């Protein structure tokens, strides 16, 4: 496994590592020491005994700057992570030497790599017994839209939906766009593609849609050791809105204030994970202490919980007291929410998130938008937040959406069981690589 060094990417390849390892195949997770450690420390929902079977192969970490995020930037894209991504482009040689070593001792080596690490694994073609597969961390819907737009094709959607499809404006910096483009020539080397989703594909290249790859049964988790889960145990069913914007989003103080006021005015129960974006190296530097409006936590202590630590998100979403998720719509968050049957208040920030938000609200119809992508530069006011929260958590429209989300979750969880579509895809991939 060769992951890209950002939390949402590290996480998915570690989940896939555990799935493949469950077929009694030895799995090596190859990355810089810092990011391998991050993957282990933040392994949400995975059973520690499954992680223990994975061989973490630490490559020497190239030096890189690890600044704090720019809280007041007009763009929400985490440009402060660029130095860590540039540094990971220096890993081609150590990765090739690892391939050389392991291919000399094995009948076949199968490399599964993040699409953004294609340049780094290009030397697979020098070894006759090594084959590689591109792993796509984004939704197939987003991938499809990107392919259509870059090839000048029209996205196959009804007229009404096309009008609402968010533009690519403002989704990323020029640097990361160039970074992505520089990987393109090396993606053709692979023998096939893997997607963390469900899809019907008519392409000739081998494709496996094995998502959702996260564990759907969280039975190894004890509810007793986490403040969020303890608090949820005391709440009525489906009554709590969970709020988190992932690991790459930071809000300016004025947005935090509006969100706090909106939550308070909505009178709905909530758990709010209030954290800034990760640094490139999560083990360096102090996080800022985000100030909330005076007396806020005291006033809401009966209805809400503010958490500033890493939260067990899949377990929170799987909890019977959770009835909604206000999210940035990163693909990990979407797939976790969909799998656990929780509807989404979609507030996309950058990258693939606007398209994921569209998928959730307009196509799957299991959520509602907090604000349209075209209005991303405007402050989202307390009254907007209050209205969305009330609509999702305490209205008939919200109940219809919640029922639809629960039914979809049920179907997705079934697909991962024996005989289900997702499990069949995984079995097919394992059969192919062990042929």
């Amino acid at each position: 496994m060769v992951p890209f060094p950002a939390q949402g990417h590290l996480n998915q390849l570690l989940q896939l590592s555990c799935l493949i390892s469950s077929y009694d195949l030895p799995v090596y997770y190859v990355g810089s020491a810092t990011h391998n450690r991050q993957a282990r420390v933040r392994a949400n929902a995975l059973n520690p005994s499954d992680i223990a079977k994975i061989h973490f192969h630490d490559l020497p970490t190239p030096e890189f700057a690890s600044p704090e995020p720019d809280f007041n930037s007009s763009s929400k894209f985490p440009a402060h992570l660029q130095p860590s991504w540039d540094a990971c482009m220096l890993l081609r040689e150590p990765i090739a030497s690892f391939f050389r070593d392991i291919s000399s001792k094995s009948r076949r080596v199968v490399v599964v790599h993040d699409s953004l690490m294609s340049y780094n694994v290009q030397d697979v073609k020098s070894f006759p017994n090594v084959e590689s597969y591109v792993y796509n961390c984004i939704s197939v819907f987003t991938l499809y839209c990107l392919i259509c737009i870059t090839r000048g094709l029209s996205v196959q959607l009804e007229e009404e939906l096309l009008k609402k499809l968010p533009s690519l404006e403002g989704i990323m910096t020029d640097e990361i766009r160039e970074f992505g483009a520089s990987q393109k020539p090396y993606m053709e080397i692979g023998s096939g593609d893997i997607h963390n989703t469900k899809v019907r594909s008519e392409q000739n290249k081998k494709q496996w849609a094995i998502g959702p790859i996260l564990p759907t049964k969280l039975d190894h988790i004890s509810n007793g050791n986490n403040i969020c889960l303890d608090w949820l145990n005391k709440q009525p069913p489906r009554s709590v809105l969970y709020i988190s914007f992932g690991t790459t989003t930071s809000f300016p103080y004025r947005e935090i204030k509006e969100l706090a006021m909106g939550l308070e005015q909505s009178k709905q129960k909530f758990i709010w994970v209030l954290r800034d974006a990760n640094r490139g190296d999560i083990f360096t530097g102090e996080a800022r202490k985000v100030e909330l409006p005076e007396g806020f936590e005291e006033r809401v202590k009966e209805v809400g919980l503010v958490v500033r630590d890493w939260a067990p998100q899949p377990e929170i979403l799987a909890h019977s007291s959770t009835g909604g998720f206000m999210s940035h719509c990163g693909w990990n968050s979407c797939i976790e929410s969909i799998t656990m049957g929780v509807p989404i208040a979609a507030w996309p920030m950058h990258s693939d998130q606007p398209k994921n938000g569209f998928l959730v609200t307009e196509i799957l119809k299991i959520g509602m938008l907090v604000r349209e992508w075209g209005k991303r530069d405007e402050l989202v006011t307390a009254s907007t937040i209050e209205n969305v929260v009330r609509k999702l958590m305490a209205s008939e429209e919200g109940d219809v959406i919640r029922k639809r989300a629960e039914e979809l979750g049920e179907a997705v969880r079934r697909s991962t069981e024996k005989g289900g579509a997702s499990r069949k895809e995984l079995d097919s991939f394992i059969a192919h690589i062990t042929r």
Side-chain angles (χ1 to χ4, degrees):
M1 296 289 165
V2 186
F4 180 71
Q7 180 58 40
H9 296 246
L10 296 168
N11 180 39
Q12 291 191 46
L13 274 189
L14 187 56
Q15 290 172 348
L16 183 59
S17 298
C18 289
L19 275 183
I20 292 176
S21 159
S22 71
Y23 288 78
D24 289 330
L25 293 170
V27 178
Y28 291 81
Y29 191 93
V30 181
S32 75
T34 308
H35 293 111
N36 281 358
R37 182 178 163 211
Q38 177 177 339
R40 284 196 299 274
V41 169
R42 296 203 165 164
N44 268 357
L46 291 170
N47 194 326
S49 64
D50 292 338
I51 297 171
K53 294 177 191 148
I54 308 300
H55 307 278
F56 287 88
H57 181 79
D58 294 350
L59 304 169
T61 307
E63 289 285 311
F64 59 85
S66 186
E68 68 175 7
D70 177 358
F71 313 112
N72 297 311
S73 166
S74 58
S75 158
K76 287 278 193 283
F77 188 85
H80 69 288
L81 294 174
Q82 191 67 47
S84 67
W85 301 335
D86 291 341
C88 87
M89 295 315 286
L90 304 171
L91 295 175
R92 177 186 170 185
E93 287 303 319
I95 288 172
S97 99
F98 175 72
F99 291 163
R100 189 172 300 110
D101 178 51
I102 199 160
S103 65
S104 68
K105 306 170 187 165
S106 319
R107 177 173 73 91
R108 177 184 294 136
V109 178
V110 175
V111 178
V112 175
H113 65 92
D114 195 296
S115 58
L116 291 174
M117 294 295 275
S118 301
Y119 168 85
N120 279 326
V121 301
Q122 60 179 292
D123 297 298
V124 293
K125 59 184 188 300
S126 315
F127 307 101
N129 62 337
V130 181
E131 58 193 41
S132 68
Y133 299 85
V134 176
Y135 179 85
N136 288 298
C137 281
I138 62 174
S139 71
V140 166
F141 173 71
T142 300
L143 192 60
Y144 165 70
C145 290
L146 290 173
I147 290 169
C148 286
I149 291 159
T150 51
R151 293 186 185 165
L153 305 168
S154 57
V155 176
Q156 298 296 302
L157 283 173
E158 293 138 37
E159 196 59 41
E160 279 311 296
L161 284 176
L162 270 179
K163 283 184 198 148
K164 295 180 182 172
L165 189 69
S167 72
L168 297 180
E169 293 294 306
I171 62 168
M172 60 177 75
T173 57
D174 291 342
E175 285 84 359
I176 196 70
R177 191 173 277 112
E178 284 157 22
F179 184 98
S182 72
Q183 305 293 323
K184 272 281 189 305
Y186 306 100
M187 286 185 196
E188 301 310 312
I189 298 167
S191 309
D193 292 342
I194 304 173
H195 305 281
N196 182 12
T197 191
K198 305 186 54 48
V199 65
R200 285 186 291 278
S201 168
E202 277 86 40
Q203 282 184 305
N204 48 14
K205 198 173 181 188
K206 287 191 160 44
Q207 305 269 338
W208 289 273
I210 58 179
I213 58 173
L214 78 152
T216 54
K217 298 204 171 33
L218 305 175
D219 42 14
H220 60 276
I221 308 292
S222 65
N223 274 2
N225 59 358
N226 182 275
I227 176 175
C228 301
L229 303 173
D230 283 348
W231 189 83
L232 281 169
N233 287 340
K234 305 184 183 95
Q235 310 308 323
R238 301 281 173 258
S239 67
V240 177
L241 176 70
Y242 169 62
I243 302 136
S244 172
F245 300 103
T247 55
T248 60
T249 300
S250 303
F251 277 175
Y253 176 67
R254 60 198 181 106
E255 189 65 87
I256 290 167
K257 191 174 143 204
E258 296 293 327
L259 180 50
M261 292 185 329
L263 289 173
E264 188 174 354
Q265 289 158 13
S266 76
K267 308 261 192 293
Q268 302 302 310
K269 290 180 178 286
F270 66 85
I271 290 183
W272 179 7
V273 180
L274 182 56
R275 296 168 55 89
D276 286 324
N278 283 347
R279 290 174 184 250
D281 178 348
I282 65 165
F283 304 106
T284 59
E286 284 296 299
R288 70 167 173 169
K289 172 86 161 78
V290 183
E291 293 301 325
L292 286 162
E294 183 93 23
F296 172 79
E297 285 178 85
E298 187 52 36
R299 291 195 304 277
V300 300
K301 70 174 192 287
E302 296 308 312
V303 287
L305 180 67
V306 178
V307 180
R308 289 181 163 88
D309 298 316
W310 183 249
Q313 180 165 297
E315 293 85 343
I316 291 171
L317 291 169
H319 198 287
S320 59
S321 300
T322 304
F325 180 15
M326 184 180 284
S327 170
H328 65 305
C329 295
W331 189 238
N332 279 287
S333 289
C334 288
I335 205 113
E336 286 168 13
S337 208
I338 289 167
T339 303
M340 302 311 174
V342 176
I344 296 173
W347 188 343
M349 303 291 171
H350 61 78
S351 305
D352 57 332
Q353 299 160 17
K355 293 281 194 290
N356 295 342
F358 176 88
L359 174 68
V360 161
T361 56
E362 296 291 338
I363 296 179
L364 301 175
K365 294 185 165 49
I366 53 161
M368 47 183 71
L369 278 180
V370 176
R371 65 106 176 84
E372 289 168 22
W373 184 240
K375 297 184 177 165
R376 63 190 172 279
D377 295 332
E378 298 170 23
L379 184 69
V380 179
T381 62
S383 65
T384 300
I385 288 159
E386 176 191 351
N387 291 337
V388 169
V389 172
R390 284 205 170 144
K391 204 152 123 188
L392 186 63
M393 301 304 292
S395 79
E396 279 183 23
E397 187 186 345
D399 290 341
V400 169
I401 288 174
R402 193 159 13 261
K403 188 168 190 305
R404 199 178 290 128
E406 285 171 5
E407 287 165 0
L408 179 60
E410 183 66 37
V412 168
R413 291 193 300 277
R414 263 203 314 275
S415 79
T416 65
E417 289 163 15
K418 201 168 164 51
S422 173
R423 176 70 68 87
K424 281 180 178 158
E425 291 276 302
L426 180 59
D427 288 341
S428 150
F429 177 67
I430 300 293
H432 174 73
I433 61 174
T434 55
R435 67 195 179 283

